[in-house]
Amino acid sequence: MNGFLIYAAKRFLQFLFVVFTGITLAFLIAHFSPVDPIEQTVSLLTSFGSTDPQAVEILRESLRELYGTGGPLLEQYFTFWGRVLTGDFGPSLSSFPTPVMTVIGRALPWTVGLLTLATIISWIIGNFLGALAGYFRSSKLLKVAGVVIMALQPIPTYIIGLSLVILFGFIWPILPISDGAQVNLAPAYWAFISSVIEHGILPALTLVLVGIGGWFISMRSLVSNIVTDDHVVYAELGGVRSRSIFSQYVARNAMLPQVTGLALSLGNVFGGAVIVEFVFNYPGIGKLLISGIYSGDYSLVLGVTTIAIIAVAAAVFVIDIIYPLIDPRVKLG
């Protein structure tokens, strides 16, 4: 037990280091960006007519104090960390005066729901087909499936997304191609749920088609290596049925690294849907991040980036803690 506590403490320190480093880099990149959010806001507010220069300067100073961009770089850095620790990134420039965390909170369920579902579906399909292809290597049907999946793997996400938009939005218009739900729905719970599912089919299908390839390739490689192990060969020579060997000896042993990969993928949901959400105008974190970058919303971009960094680091930390409990071969020293 003491060994596990030491192991967990080391991993927790590693988690803190990763979070600290990632958030620091995010702050520096945003700070040295050529876009000045304060000047951009001032220009927008003063573009409708002449304004008293003294009033403009007062506005500029108020915005700097409001968003923590005044003073030396080190002072801004400590101010930013104070906001991170309190979970208060200030108001959003593009949605003023709505707080950044409120804006993120509205978009977060859309991204988490879409990417979690798409990641799990692609993980199940990719691993299942990959395991079959790695074990039943003479199957022509599985070879064809492998060729199709391998052909989809290198295609960029936006190409697949745009292809689905053209196919199901214009050529065969049976599915919605924009937004997360129908606007002005009747106040009925099931009507809203069905609309969300209908609007999420094409974005989810895009992510599934893109994600299957990686799981298929890795699982097929793992199974191809395991089928040559002694215990599998002995089972085959002993007359054990192929179905039992596949499920009990091969697929089960190959699943452990894939489970780790699934957890990491779920932790990385914030970064995986940026392009897809932009293509389908889906109201999630990815679209929010792009809007924040285009509008120079300094606080919003840092808020989204910080949450993404913490989520990914937390997923890695949880897996590091659980992994020794799943696989006794992992040393705790």
Side-chain angles (χ1 to χ4, degrees):
M1 188 64 182
N2 290 334
F4 179 78
L5 292 177
I6 295 174
Y7 172 85
K10 289 181 179 179
R11 292 299 181 269
F12 182 70
L13 291 176
Q14 185 180 31
F15 162 75
L16 294 179
F17 176 76
V18 170
V19 170
F20 172 79
T21 304
I23 293 178
T24 298
L25 288 175
F27 168 81
L28 293 175
I29 292 172
H31 179 81
F32 291 113
S33 169
V35 178
D36 188 336
I38 304 301
E39 294 302 326
Q40 191 170 13
T41 304
V42 171
S43 299
L44 179 64
L45 294 176
T46 58
S47 61
F48 300 100
S50 58
T51 307
D52 181 16
Q54 185 176 1
V56 172
E57 188 59 31
I58 294 174
L59 173 63
R60 184 179 286 110
E61 292 299 324
S62 300
L63 288 173
R64 286 174 180 168
E65 182 178 356
L66 183 63
Y67 295 108
T69 59
L73 178 61
L74 188 61
E75 180 181 341
Q76 295 182 39
Y77 178 69
F78 286 123
T79 301
F80 171 66
W81 266 108
R83 295 188 170 191
V84 171
L85 295 176
T86 57
D88 179 16
F89 292 92
S92 168
L93 282 168
S94 57
S95 303
F96 190 87
T98 308
V100 167
M101 292 305 295
T102 301
V103 176
I104 294 176
R106 293 170 182 169
L108 190 60
W110 294 97
T111 294
V112 172
L114 173 66
L115 265 82
T116 300
L117 182 61
T119 300
I120 292 175
I121 292 175
S122 62
W123 183 83
I124 293 173
I125 297 175
N127 281 308
F128 180 71
L129 294 178
L132 291 175
Y135 186 73
F136 300 102
R137 286 170 287 184
S138 59
S139 173
K140 294 182 179 180
L141 181 61
L142 290 172
K143 288 181 180 179
V144 173
V147 170
V148 174
I149 292 173
M150 294 289 287
L152 290 173
Q153 177 67 15
I155 301 178
T157 306
Y158 62 90
I159 295 295
I160 295 180
L162 290 175
S163 300
L164 294 178
V165 168
I166 294 172
L167 177 60
F168 295 105
F170 298 97
I171 298 176
W172 190 23
I174 60 173
L175 290 172
I177 60 175
S178 181
D179 297 325
Q182 183 180 340
V183 182
N184 298 326
L185 277 174
Y189 178 78
W190 288 112
F192 176 75
I193 293 297
S194 62
S195 178
V196 169
I197 293 174
E198 187 179 14
H199 281 73
I201 290 176
L202 290 183
L205 181 59
T206 302
L207 293 169
V208 168
L209 292 176
V210 173
I212 285 177
W215 299 118
F216 176 87
I217 295 171
S218 59
M219 190 63 173
R220 186 179 61 179
S221 300
L222 289 168
V223 171
S224 297
N225 292 328
I226 292 175
V227 294
T228 59
D229 289 349
D230 292 340
H231 67 283
V232 177
V233 175
Y234 291 153
E236 291 175 346
L237 293 176
V240 181
R241 291 187 305 171
S242 296
R243 183 177 300 179
S244 298
I245 295 175
F246 172 75
S247 60
Q248 300 296 325
Y249 294 88
V250 178
R252 178 177 295 182
N253 290 334
M255 285 303 297
L256 189 59
Q258 299 299 84
V259 171
T260 304
L262 174 63
L264 295 178
S265 297
L266 292 176
N268 198 28
V269 295
F270 300 98
V274 174
I275 297 177
V276 173
E277 290 182 357
F278 183 76
V279 170
F280 292 97
N281 195 34
Y282 199 77
I285 292 293
K287 182 175 178 291
L288 189 66
L289 179 61
I290 293 179
S291 301
I293 293 173
Y294 281 157
S295 62
D297 196 335
Y298 178 84
S299 300
L300 181 60
V301 171
L302 283 178
V304 173
T305 306
T306 299
I307 291 176
I309 291 170
I310 294 175
V312 175
V316 175
F317 171 69
V318 170
I319 289 301
D320 281 341
I321 296 301
I322 297 177
Y323 209 77
L325 304 177
I326 301 175
D327 189 355
R329 294 172 296 178
V330 177
K331 295 182 180 180
L332 297 177

